């Protein structure tokens, strides 16, 4: 009988323990003796007796000729793994292809079991996740969230010693959650620390990691060359940047300064205070005023000079200004009005589908690498990379946003070369947005509320070689009260469709002055996008903040322990492709206690120019604004970021001047209450 595909997920459990050790609640893989790593072979029978006897389930693993892992160059079992490092990327690509090539689920299971104890744990997790997301016979599997498998990437290292103690001493059921203070990486003496709550938010970091899981750099061409991948790379990261800048303004900080000169010291520092449980190493810190330098690390097979980066950047700017990319044969590929951004995204990011990679290089990724090795560029101190070189952790470091401000600047340079939207491209004749308001739960109009919320997470799955059972940590994160938009639209024509687009931006710049449109447009964060049917006459549209096309619910990011608390620890976390999306608890910027003044922008665009013909029934499309829809076209035909993705037409200096009748702006206030709300439905 064919193996239930769900059993594959047990391979994610307790990543450092060998495959033959009990997984899940009490399941054991019958690992063929020949599959055991050499060191276990002589004691194979003993091992099986020890771990197999009281198993409630035995999963048979078919013995097939062992897959050839020899050409997967060695990445030590206990090294850290990063997609930004070309050597690691290539190894991952090979392993992904091996997992994709397995003929059926049984063969995949055999291949994965064979590989699991032979390859690096992070690498295995990544490659198997990508394969499960993309194979047709493993669809709809719920992958465990990275926080549960590798909690060490997100949680203060001190917590683990306490969690071990708790698990060793206190019986399950009586264990109390271990609190992670919100301020564990720095003090208020560091200005940048004011927004550590954003950078270190576990949900945001998981979102970013998940995005890169869905859009891998390497693997087979089909899984890399997804619809509008390069454009989404631009847009999703541009929006992270806009949200970060919004958050900075709420905290009296200026917008991020781009890091384009690698020869200057970097004043912002970062001390992550994370330990890698797999690598048994501390993640390196990045002290104040370090200056990047050429990276030459034989061990990582990586050599990249600042000159290389500068050359690649100059060539990319040449392409932007000339309007053409040059391919490997010297042929020009035009950067067109609508598809150019996608091509440019693939060039800047870069991935295996970058045209002419030899010439344009690997600009964005190598920036991550250079900054991630700033503390030990030639490996003389035998230090591993820092958080900036891993997409699971890089958002934590302020330098991420400085580097991505630079990346975004290149995209904006390109966007500035495009024709400006005409009134005809913005307007929807006959459709007028007559009124916009938002209601909070207290019934006050146009005031949105934020506060701190505590939530609990079970770390037991990632804590190998420990007593079984749940071990909780309690962390504090930003939260917003649900709210509702009410939009009145007049339609002078027949019944028709429109797309409602909702954005939010700060009303004033960091000096308290009103914005020029050309600056404010980059501050708009997308809040929601949905289609509406308009009947003739007046229409009232209501929409709840939890319905946002941007977000996924808290339970999907983490698995909600309050609602669905595991009893035996054998439930697999719900976290599949649908898990990608901006976390709902971060939908709103924090605001201020006095109330932060913002402008809410609502537009109804002409559906005929927005529509994408495809059937997405039964496919999860939450969070599609940043993540797209699996195996489908991006669900909006307009350029991503429309209508704020280009310079304004002649004569438009302010937002008011930009408006056409199908748009409206409403002032709203975000009020932050500095109070910590306890986890829902828990009383300890
Ligand atoms: Cu997501 Cu630089 O791409 O981190």
């Amino acid at each position: 009988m064919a193996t239930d595909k769900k059993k594959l997920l047990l391979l994610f459990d307790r990543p450092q323990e060998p495959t033959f050790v009990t997984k899940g609640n009490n399941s054991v893989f019958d690992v063929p003796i020949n599959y055991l790593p050499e060191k276990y072979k002589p004691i194979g029978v003993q091992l099986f007796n020890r771990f197999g006897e009281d198993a409630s389930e035995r999963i048979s693993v078919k013995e097939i000729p062992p897959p050839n892992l020899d050409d997967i160059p060695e990445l030590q079992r206990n090294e850290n793994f990063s997609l930004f490092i070309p050597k690691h990327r290539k190894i991952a690509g090979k392993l992904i292809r091996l997992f994709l090539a397995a003929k059926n689920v049984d063969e995949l299971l055999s291949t994965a079991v064979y590989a699991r104890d032979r390859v690096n744990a992070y690498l295995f997790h990544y490659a198997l996740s990508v394969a499960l997301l993309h194979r047709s016979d493993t669809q709809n599997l719920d992958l465990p969230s990275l926080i549960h498998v590798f909690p060490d990437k997100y949680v203060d290292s001190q917590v683990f010693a306490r969690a071990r103690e708790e698990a060793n001493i206190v019986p399950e059921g009586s264990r109390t959650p271990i609190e992670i203070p919100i301020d564990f990486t720095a003090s208020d003496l560091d200005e940048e620390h004011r927004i550590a709550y954003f950078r270190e938010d576990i949900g945001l970091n998981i979102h970013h990691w998940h995005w890169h899981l869905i859009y891998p750099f390497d693997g087979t061409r089909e899984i890399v060359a997804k619809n509008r991948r390069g454009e989404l790379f631009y847009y999703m990261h541009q929006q992270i940047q806009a949200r970060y800048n919004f958050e900075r303004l709420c905290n009296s900080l200026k917008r991020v300064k781009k890091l384009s000169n690698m020869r200057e010291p970097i004043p912002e520092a970062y001390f992550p205070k994370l330990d890698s449980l797999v690598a048994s190493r501390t993640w390196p810190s990045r002290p104040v005023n370090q200056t990047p330098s050429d990276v030459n690390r034989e061990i990582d097979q990586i050599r990249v000079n600042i000159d290389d980066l500068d050359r690649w950047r100059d060539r990319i700017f040449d392409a932007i200004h000339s309007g053409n990319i040059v391919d490997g044969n010297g042929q020009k590929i035009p950067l067109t009005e609508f598809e150019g951004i996608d091509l440019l995204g693939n060039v800047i990011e870069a991935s295996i589908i970058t045209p002419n990679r030899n010439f344009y290089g690997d600009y964005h990724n190598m920036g991550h690498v250079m900054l991630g090795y700033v503390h030990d560029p030639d490996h003389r101190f035998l230090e591993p990379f820092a958080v900036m070189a891993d997409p699971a952790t890089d958002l934590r470091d302020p330098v991420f946003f400085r580097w991505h401000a630079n990346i975004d600047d290149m995209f904006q340079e390109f966007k500035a070369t495009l024709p400006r939207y005409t009134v005809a491209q913005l307007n929807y004749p006959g459709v007028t947005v007559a009124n916009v308001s938002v209601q909070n739960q207290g019934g006050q109009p146009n005031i949105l509320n934020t506060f701190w919320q505590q939530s609990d997470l079970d770390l037991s799955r990632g804590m190998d070689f420990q007593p079984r059972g749940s071990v909780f940590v309690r962390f504090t994160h930003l939260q917003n009260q649900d709210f509702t938009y009410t939009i009145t639209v007049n339609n002078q024509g027949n019944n028709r469709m429109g797309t409602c687009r909702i954005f939010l931006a700060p009303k004033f710049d960091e000096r308290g002055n009103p914005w020029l449109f050309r600056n404010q447009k980059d501050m708009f964060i997308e809040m929601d996008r949905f289609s509406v049917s308009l009947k003739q006459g007046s229409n009232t549209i209501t929409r709840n903040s939890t319905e946002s096309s941007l977000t996924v619910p808290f339970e999907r990011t983490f698995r909600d322990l309050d609602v669905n608390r595991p009893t035996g620890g054998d439930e697999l976390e719900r976290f599949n492709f649908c898990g990608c999306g901006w976390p709902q608890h971060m939908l709103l910027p924090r605001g201020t206690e006095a109330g932060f003044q913002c402008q809410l922008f609502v537009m109804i665009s002409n559906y005929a120019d927005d529509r994408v013909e495809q059937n997405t029934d039964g496919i999860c499309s939450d969070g599609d604004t940043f993540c797209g829809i699996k195996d489908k076209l991006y669900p909006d035909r307009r350029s991503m970021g429309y209508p704020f993705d280009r310079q304004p037409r002649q004569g438009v200096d302010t937002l008011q001047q930009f408006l056409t009748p199908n748009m409206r702006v409403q002032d709203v206030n975000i009020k932050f209450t500095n109070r910590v709300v306890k986890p829902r439905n828990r009383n300890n």
Side-chain angles (χ1 to χ4, degrees), residues 84 208 211-212 233 236-237 349 364 368 391 394 400 403-404:
F84 290 128
H208 182 247
W211 191 92
H212 284 283
F233 170 78
M236 197 280 290
H237 289 89
E349 184 185 1
H364 152 264
H368 275 273
D394 53 7
F400 172 94
W403 179 241
H404 268 275

Side-chain angles (χ1 to χ4, degrees), residues 208-242:
H208 182 247
W209 162 76
H210 205 137
W211 191 92
H212 284 283
L213 189 67
I214 293 178
Y215 295 95
F217 308 102
D218 205 330
T220 60
R221 199 179 158 85
E222 304 85 82
I223 68 170
V224 178
K226 292 200 170 74
N227 179 241
R228 296 171 76 179
R229 174 225 168 90
E231 184 176 11
L232 199 51
F233 170 78
Y234 140 73
Y235 185 57
M236 197 280 290
H237 289 89
Q238 186 274 331
Q239 282 287 298
I240 290 187
Q241 207 65 27

Side-chain angles (χ1 to χ4, degrees), residues 409-425:
D409 189 64
M410 299 170 97
F411 287 121
Q412 298 302 344
E413 179 95 1
F414 170 66
K415 286 281 185 177
T417 67
L418 299 180
R420 325 255 160 137
Y421 289 124
T422 60
V423 169
Q425 285 172 306

Side-chain angles (χ1 to χ4, degrees), residues 12 81 83 122 125-126 129-130 133 143-147 149-150 153-154 202-215 236 240 390-395 557 575-576 579-580:
F12 290 124
F81 163 78
L83 288 172
Y122 295 120
H125 179 273
Y126 172 72
S129 302
V130 173
L133 285 171
L143 302 194
S145 157
L146 202 61
I147 178 75
V149 184
F150 297 117
K153 294 201 181 210
Y154 304 99
I202 299 175
L204 276 200
N205 278 277
I206 287 177
H207 159 71
H208 182 247
W209 162 76
H210 205 137
W211 191 92
H212 284 283
L213 189 67
I214 293 178
Y215 295 95
M236 197 280 290
I240 290 187
D390 182 347
T393 52
D394 53 7
L395 243 55
T557 302
F575 199 70
N576 50 11
C580 186

Side-chain angles (χ1 to χ4, degrees), residues 465-495:
F465 301 109
Q466 290 302 315
R468 306 263 147 175
S470 302
V471 186
F472 292 99
V473 292
R474 176 165 293 175
F475 66 107
T476 306
H477 57 88
L478 188 62
Q479 182 63 286
N480 57 82
Q481 195 188 56
D482 297 349
F483 56 92
T484 310
Y485 307 95
T486 308
I487 301 159
T488 313
V489 182
N490 291 328
N491 173 19
Q492 286 165 5
N494 294 330
N495 294 355

Side-chain angles (χ1 to χ4, degrees), residues 440-574:
N440 65 22
Q441 292 182 337
Q444 296 151 300
N446 302 320
I447 294 179
L448 302 170
N449 293 306
T450 63
F451 52 94
W452 299 121
Q453 162 94 58
Q454 287 190 323
S455 294
D456 294 350
L457 280 178
D458 180 2
L459 294 191
S460 50
R461 243 162 237 287
M463 297 202 43
D464 302 31
F465 301 109
Q466 290 302 315
R468 306 263 147 175
S470 302
V471 186
F472 292 99
V473 292
R474 176 165 293 175
F475 66 107
T476 306
H477 57 88
L478 188 62
Q479 182 63 286
N480 57 82
Q481 195 188 56
D482 297 349
F483 56 92
T484 310
Y485 307 95
T486 308
I487 301 159
T488 313
V489 182
N490 291 328
N491 173 19
Q492 286 165 5
N494 294 330
N495 294 355
R496 50 183 161 169
M497 299 280 288
T499 303
C500 183
R501 299 166 189 273
I502 305 180
F503 290 82
L504 187 73
K507 186 169 181 178
F508 302 106
D509 71 9
E510 46 271 86
R511 284 166 306 158
N513 295 327
W515 296 96
L516 286 174
F517 180 86
R518 65 165 184 271
N519 297 325
Q520 193 182 17
K521 76 176 180 53
D522 299 335
M523 294 297 292
F524 272 101
I525 59 172
E526 187 163 353
M527 298 293 287
D528 206 347
R529 182 205 305 149
F530 51 96
S531 42
V532 287
S533 358
L534 301 171
K535 59 179 182 353
Q536 197 171 24
S538 175
N539 296 264
T540 304
I541 301 165
T542 56
R543 175 94 167 171
N544 198 281
S545 58
T546 55
E547 294 173 277
S548 169
S549 61
L550 188 85
T551 57
V552 292
F554 190 85
E555 307 76 57
R556 196 108 33 89
T557 302
F558 295 111
R559 175 185 63 165
D560 193 340
L561 300 171
D562 305 320
V563 177
N564 186 18
R565 196 168 169 191
T567 47
D570 64 337
E571 288 180 75
L572 286 157
E573 292 76 10
R574 287 198 57 77

